[in-house]
Amino acid sequence: MLEYDNEDDPMLYGIVNHLRCDIMIPPCLSNFFDKKKSGVVMADDRRRYKRWNFRNLGALEIRQSFTDLERHTCWCRIYIKDISIGGVSFLHSEQLFPMEQMRILFPKKSLEPIFKGRDRNIIEVKRCRKRGQRCYEIGAQFVEEFRDQSG
Amino acid sequence: MSECCTYSQDINTGQSLVAISVDSACAASLQCDIYIQREPNEEPILYRRKSHPLEKADLDRLIKRGIETIFISKSHEATYRDRMYEEVCCDETIAPAERFRVLRDINEAFFEKAFRGGKLDEVVGFSEVLGSQLTEIISRNDLVVEDLLSLMEFDNGTYTHCINVSTYCLLLATHLGISKVEELESIAAGALLHDIGKRQVQLSVLNKPGPLTDEQREHVQRHPLIGFEELSLRGDMNWRQLMIVYQHHERMDGLGYPTGISGDEIHPWARICSIADVFHALTSIRPYRFPLSVSAASVVIGGEMKTAFDSEMVKCWNTIMKTTPCFMA
Ligand SMILES: [Fe+2]
Ligand SMILES: [Fe+2]
C-alpha cells in the first residue's frame, strides 16, 4: 500500500478511501507518495503558474463530455501529483481525452496560500500520457464552470 | 476535365512544360506563354505568347475544340499556383466546393512526385479514380473544404500531404473490407484533417531542414492534440474521425504520442491513418531528406518500423503495393 499524508483533511480521506481505485502504480512511480516530494516548487520556465509537488489522494467525478464517448457518472480515487493555481496533474486508471470536463476533490487546507479561497473543483483535461498498465498521467486545467453540452 | 500531372517538353526550346486544365487557366488569368497539343499524342506547340494573354473567349474556343488541357513552362508553375491561390482560393464569392475543385487541379502535379518510379499513365488513372472520389466527398462537406483551404494557405506541403494521406487511407480501408460508402467517406474526411493541428506550429519549425530541438519536437508533437481540441469543439466530426486526428501518431508498441497507448487502445481508423501517414512521409520530399521509392518505403514499414503498426494492416498494405500497378516499379 502506498503511503500518504492524511492530516490535511481527514474527513475527505475517509470518503476518498472508500472510492473505487483501479490505478496500478508502475515500478518507476513506486515512490510516488515520498514525503520529500511534497511541497517542492517544480522548475519550468515555460509554465504560466508556479507548480508545486503535491502528492496526495483525491476524488474524481467521471462525467460524460462527448456525445459519442460513453462515460458512466461515478466517483473514483485518483492520486494527485502536482498542482498550481491554474491546473493539476494526477494519476488515473483510465485514459481521459482532451476537453473532457470533470469534478475534482482534493485536500485544500495546505494549499490555501496558493489558492487564496478560490474555488478549484472543475477541471478540463488538457493532456494524458500512459505511464503503465492502468496508469495514466492526466494534466488538467481548472475551469470556472462546465461547458454547455447543448450546442 | 483533364488532370495536370503530365510533364512534357517544348520541342523548340527543350524547356519542361506542365499541363494544367483549361478551367483552372481561366480562373488564374495566366500571364505566361501557353502551349497546346493539336493531337493527343503530339508534343505541345506554342499557342499564345505571354504578350498576348488568353481571354475568356480564347479558352471557350479551346473547350469547343475539345481541348481541355493547356501547357505552361515548368518555371511558371509556382507563379500559377500562387495566382490560383490568390484569385480562387481566397475568393469567398466562389463556392467552397468549386474552390476546392480548382485547388485539386493544382494539387494533381504532386501525385506524380508521390508516385516516383510508377508508370505515369497508370498514376493518372489511379489519381483520377481516387481523386474524384475524394473530390466528391470533400465537395459535399463545406467545413472540410474551408479547413483545407486554410491549410493550403498555411503550408502547401501540409495540404498536399493531407490529400495524399486521405487517398491512401481510402485505398487501405477499401482493401481491409470496409465497404460502406458512409464509412469510407467518414475515414477520408477525417484523414484529410488529420494534421489540421499543424496550423498552430511555426512554419520555420515545420519545414526546418535540420533536426529539431527537444522543445521544437515537443511543439510539433502537440499537433494531434490541438487538432482534436479544435475539431471536437466544432461538433461536425464524429468520434471515429476525431480519433484519426488524435491518435494517428500512436504506435502499436506504445512508443507513439500524444498518449503512448498501444494495441487495441488505438482506434482502427487511426491505425489505418498511421500507415498512410508514414508511407506518404517516406515517399515524399521532406526538408530534411530525399524521398524513398515505394518499395524502399514498404521495406521500412514492414521491417524496422513494423512494431509501430497493426500487422494485419501492414500485410494488406504490402499486398496493395505489390498488386496496384501504379505502385509497382
Ligand atoms: Fe501528423
Ligand atoms: Fe500527417
Side-chain angles (χ1 to χ4, degrees):
Chain A
M1 181 67 186
L2 290 157
E3 285 179 27
Y4 53 89
D5 184 355
N6 70 357
E7 286 160 22
D8 193 331
D9 191 338
M11 206 166 92
L12 180 67
Y13 284 117
I15 300 165
V16 167
N17 266 325
H18 284 94
L19 293 176
R20 183 193 169 121
C21 182
D22 295 325
I23 306 171
M24 263 172 64
I25 297 283
C28 62
L29 295 176
S30 57
N31 62 348
F32 187 79
F33 285 107
D34 186 341
K35 280 204 176 78
K36 280 177 282 192
K37 290 198 166 177
S38 269
V40 183
V41 179
M42 299 167 76
D44 188 344
D45 295 343
R46 288 170 303 175
R47 297 227 175 223
R48 212 158 121 214
Y49 304 112
K50 217 184 258 179
R51 241 178 349 145
W52 304 80
N53 258 312
F54 183 72
R55 305 300 160 102
N56 227 315
L57 293 184
L60 186 71
E61 186 194 27
I62 308 290
R63 296 163 55 106
Q64 181 143 1
S65 299
F66 294 108
T67 329
D68 293 348
L69 177 67
E70 204 180 333
R71 296 275 193 213
H72 298 289
T73 305
C74 66
W75 282 93
C76 50
R77 198 191 322 158
I78 53 170
Y79 298 153
I80 310 280
K81 185 170 175 265
D82 55 70
I83 211 150
S84 77
I85 190 165
V88 56
S89 82
F90 57 90
L91 303 183
H92 179 50
S93 60
E94 262 186 75
Q95 178 182 195
L96 298 181
F97 291 91
M99 312 299 287
E100 283 198 272
Q101 294 190 326
M102 291 168 189
R103 199 179 300 279
I104 194 167
L105 294 177
F106 50 86
K108 295 198 179 74
K109 212 168 9 178
S110 62
L111 295 170
E112 192 40 39
I114 304 172
F115 287 169
K116 298 190 173 83
R118 291 183 187 92
D119 262 357
R120 286 293 182 255
N121 298 326
I122 305 172
I123 53 153
E124 181 171 291
V125 175
K126 288 285 152 196
R127 58 181 170 78
C128 171
R129 185 84 197 152
K130 189 171 182 176
R131 300 298 303 265
Q133 202 64 27
R134 297 212 319 258
C135 184
Y136 296 83
E137 187 173 328
I138 316 287
Q141 204 173 42
F142 293 119
V143 291
E144 295 298 321
E145 52 191 31
F146 288 110
R147 197 172 41 240
D148 181 13
Q149 299 291 308
S150 59
Chain B
M1 189 179 65
S2 99
E3 311 302 332
C4 88
C5 56
T6 326
Y7 288 87
S8 193
Q9 256 192 353
D10 178 347
I11 40 175
N12 296 316
T13 62
Q15 66 175 326
S16 294
L17 300 177
V18 58
I20 59 173
S21 77
V22 171
D23 287 356
S24 58
C26 189
S29 25
L30 287 170
Q31 285 172 351
C32 58
D33 292 349
I34 308 284
Y35 300 77
I36 57 165
Q37 275 176 318
R38 278 185 304 202
E39 295 297 331
N41 293 321
E42 273 182 15
E43 287 298 330
I45 54 159
L46 185 63
Y47 171 67
R48 192 60 68 93
R49 284 231 177 267
K50 179 185 174 183
S51 49
H52 292 85
L54 281 182
E55 306 276 330
K56 172 96 174 57
D58 298 320
L59 294 163
D60 289 343
R61 224 170 292 131
L62 288 176
I63 293 169
K64 254 191 194 154
R65 281 170 60 187
I67 294 174
E68 294 177 327
T69 307
I70 58 172
F71 296 80
I72 58 171
S73 76
K74 181 102 179 66
S75 57
H76 278 100
E77 196 188 353
T79 322
Y80 157 71
R81 253 191 265 131
D82 287 351
R83 286 194 74 89
M84 289 296 273
Y85 181 71
E86 283 164 19
E87 298 198 8
V88 182
C89 305
C90 295
D91 185 349
E92 298 200 343
T93 60
I94 304 174
E98 175 60 17
R99 278 188 273 160
F100 174 74
R101 197 178 57 77
V102 176
L103 260 183
R104 186 183 153 248
D105 264 12
I106 308 170
N107 184 61
E108 288 297 331
F110 293 101
F111 277 95
E112 192 272 337
K113 289 175 191 155
F115 297 105
R116 285 167 73 258
K119 296 169 193 148
L120 204 55
D121 50 347
E122 284 159 341
V123 172
V124 177
F126 172 78
S127 64
E128 258 171 14
V129 176
L130 283 172
S132 59
Q133 264 181 20
L134 204 57
T135 311
E136 268 187 34
I137 292 168
I138 295 162
S139 305
R140 278 199 289 273
N141 190 337
D142 275 3
L143 275 168
V144 172
V145 176
E146 294 293 351
D147 285 324
L148 283 175
L149 293 172
S150 102
L151 203 54
M152 184 176 184
E153 180 180 14
F154 169 70
D155 178 42
N156 195 52
T158 308
Y159 160 79
T160 310
H161 168 72
C162 290
I163 297 273
N164 282 289
V165 168
S166 180
T167 311
Y168 295 149
C169 281
L170 265 181
L171 191 64
L172 180 54
T174 311
H175 279 75
L176 286 167
I178 299 175
S179 55
K180 277 193 188 153
V181 176
E182 314 84 73
E183 281 195 27
L184 290 170
E185 290 196 359
S186 201
I187 291 171
L192 277 168
L193 303 187
H194 79 280
D195 273 341
I196 198 81
K198 281 193 178 166
R199 285 184 301 187
Q200 305 300 323
V201 180
Q202 278 177 0
L203 268 181
S204 56
V205 174
L206 210 56
N207 295 322
K208 187 179 170 185
L212 300 180
T213 63
D214 288 349
E215 200 174 327
Q216 287 169 334
R217 185 171 306 105
E218 218 176 279
H219 191 51
V220 172
Q221 291 188 348
R222 284 180 55 77
H223 78 269
L225 196 145
I226 294 169
F228 173 88
E229 282 190 350
E230 194 183 319
L231 295 173
S232 65
L233 274 181
R234 246 172 39 180
D236 58 325
M237 292 255 135
N238 62 44
W239 186 253
R240 297 180 294 179
Q241 290 175 307
L242 290 174
M243 287 301 98
I244 293 181
V245 178
Y246 186 54
Q247 297 182 334
H248 71 272
H249 284 289
E250 297 291 356
R251 294 172 46 123
M252 291 299 276
D253 55 15
L255 299 175
Y257 62 88
T259 310
I261 45 173
S262 58
D264 288 350
E265 283 180 300
I266 307 168
H267 193 280
W269 287 11
R271 285 184 242 160
I272 292 175
C273 188
S274 75
I275 295 177
D277 186 53
V278 170
F279 179 79
H280 184 255
L282 292 173
T283 52
S284 61
I285 298 165
R286 289 282 158 130
Y288 41 87
R289 56 151 185 76
F290 289 107
L292 295 184
S293 66
V294 168
S295 57
S298 301
V299 169
V300 173
I301 287 174
E304 63 191 80
M305 284 192 78
K306 79 169 187 234
T307 56
F309 306 115
D310 182 313
S311 56
E312 288 306 310
M313 290 187 186
V314 170
K315 258 189 226 163
C316 184
W317 184 249
N318 284 336
T319 310
I320 297 169
M321 294 296 105
K322 285 179 193 145
T323 53
T324 309
C326 69
F327 290 112
M328 295 152 67

